[in-house]
Amino acid sequence: MINVLRSEFLRTRRKGVVLGWFGLAILFTVMINMVMAQVVGSSQAQPEGGPGVSFPTLDQWQAADGITMGLSSAASMYGVVALSFWAIVTAGDYSSGLIRLTVSAQPDRVRLLLGKVGALSLWTAAVTTVALIANLIIAPMAAQAADLDVSAWGQNVLQTLAGAWFNLFCALLVWGVIGLVLALVTRSAAISISVGVGYVLVVEAVITAALDSIADWTPGATLSALAQGGTSSIPYGTALILGAFYTLLGLGVALTVFKRRDITD
């Protein structure tokens, strides 16, 4: 299994893919913190969010864990990027024909797929770390530009950062598994990304507006709550359980499709 994981990790180490994923994570971190400084800093009330973005209140941003609010606010944006790159790497094996070679070299498809999941999980952990570091650099600068009192940010720093990293990583892992499943089913990165982006920007907003009773059970709302460490409507424990459920369900579907579907059709 270690050899499979090492092989998949080396194969997924494509300069364009890795730099694009890391670059977008840094870009979104800079953008969300700068926007929060302007939007949140000018109002005590809960600001209006946008597709894939939920802003904290001013009090929340100035609290002890406020230094990581940029990560949780843009969790869905990070998630769509994670979904996209998991889908690109997975679907790329089919479009290039490489899947035939890898299956020939490693006939155990379960081990092969788990190796890919493990490699992409390591990249997701690295991206989460980069986003956290970028946030630590940008957030104080944005807060200073908005003339905010962030003296509370110095309290329980290690615990706050560790919790924020873990929550964001878990959320991105679920988004990535969704991208993996879509790519295995469609064998197309473009379709998988379109479905993921369309869901975040359109479908979930429509579902939430039309069916308020199930709004808290949708993947986007659940994963946003998980990245935030829980919300008033979705407790952290519930979000963690639902995130684990979505992950296991996605892996189950992925393994079933990958094992039973002919790779030559």
Side-chain angles (χ1 to χ4, degrees):
M1 187 64 198
I2 297 298
N3 291 333
V4 176
L5 177 60
R6 183 184 298 114
S7 174
E8 288 292 332
F9 185 78
L10 291 175
R11 285 201 313 105
T12 55
R13 194 177 59 186
R14 307 173 193 172
K15 183 179 293 185
V17 172
V18 172
L19 291 180
W21 194 355
F22 281 50
L24 284 174
I26 295 173
L27 176 62
F28 286 153
T29 303
V30 173
M31 288 175 55
I32 192 65
N33 278 283
M34 292 303 180
V35 171
M36 278 202 311
Q38 299 301 317
V39 176
V40 179
S42 61
S43 175
Q44 291 282 348
Q46 183 81 29
E48 289 287 338
V53 178
S54 59
F55 292 120
T57 63
L58 179 59
D59 289 340
Q60 289 174 328
W61 201 26
Q62 291 180 314
D65 60 349
I67 192 171
T68 61
M69 283 295 169
L71 299 178
S72 57
S73 295
S76 293
M77 297 169 64
Y78 294 126
V80 169
V81 175
L83 179 152
S84 300
F85 281 98
W86 278 58
I88 289 171
V89 170
T90 304
D93 288 349
Y94 288 94
S95 60
S96 65
L98 187 60
I99 187 66
R100 296 182 180 89
L101 297 177
T102 55
V103 171
S104 297
Q106 175 53 263
D108 189 341
R109 296 193 185 186
V110 173
R111 183 175 296 182
L112 185 61
L113 184 61
L114 291 179
K116 182 180 292 295
V117 171
L120 288 171
S121 297
L122 290 176
W123 284 118
T124 302
V127 170
T128 304
T129 304
V130 168
L132 178 62
I133 294 173
N135 191 82
L136 289 177
I137 297 172
I138 299 299
M141 296 170 58
Q144 183 178 10
D147 196 25
L148 301 179
D149 178 15
V150 292
S151 56
W153 286 6
Q155 303 173 14
N156 302 320
V157 176
L158 292 180
Q159 181 180 348
T160 297
L161 297 183
W165 185 95
F166 177 77
N167 294 338
L168 182 61
F169 170 73
C170 289
L172 297 190
L173 186 63
V174 182
W175 279 115
V177 170
I178 293 173
L180 176 81
V181 174
L182 290 173
L184 286 174
V185 171
T186 65
R187 300 187 179 184
S188 169
I191 295 176
S192 303
I193 294 171
S194 299
V195 171
V197 173
Y199 176 82
V200 171
L201 296 181
V202 180
V203 177
E204 186 154 308
V206 172
I207 292 175
T208 301
L211 302 171
D212 187 62
S213 59
I214 66 170
D216 294 339
W217 295 87
T218 57
T222 299
L223 298 180
S224 292
L226 177 57
Q228 295 176 50
T231 62
S232 57
S233 55
I234 308 178
Y236 180 62
T238 301
L240 200 59
I241 291 172
L242 287 175
F245 170 75
Y246 288 134
T247 301
L248 293 176
L249 177 62
L251 289 177
V253 173
L255 288 170
T256 300
V257 171
F258 192 59
K259 282 180 62 179
R260 298 186 178 183
R261 194 173 184 183
D262 186 357
I263 63 171
T264 63
D265 62 5

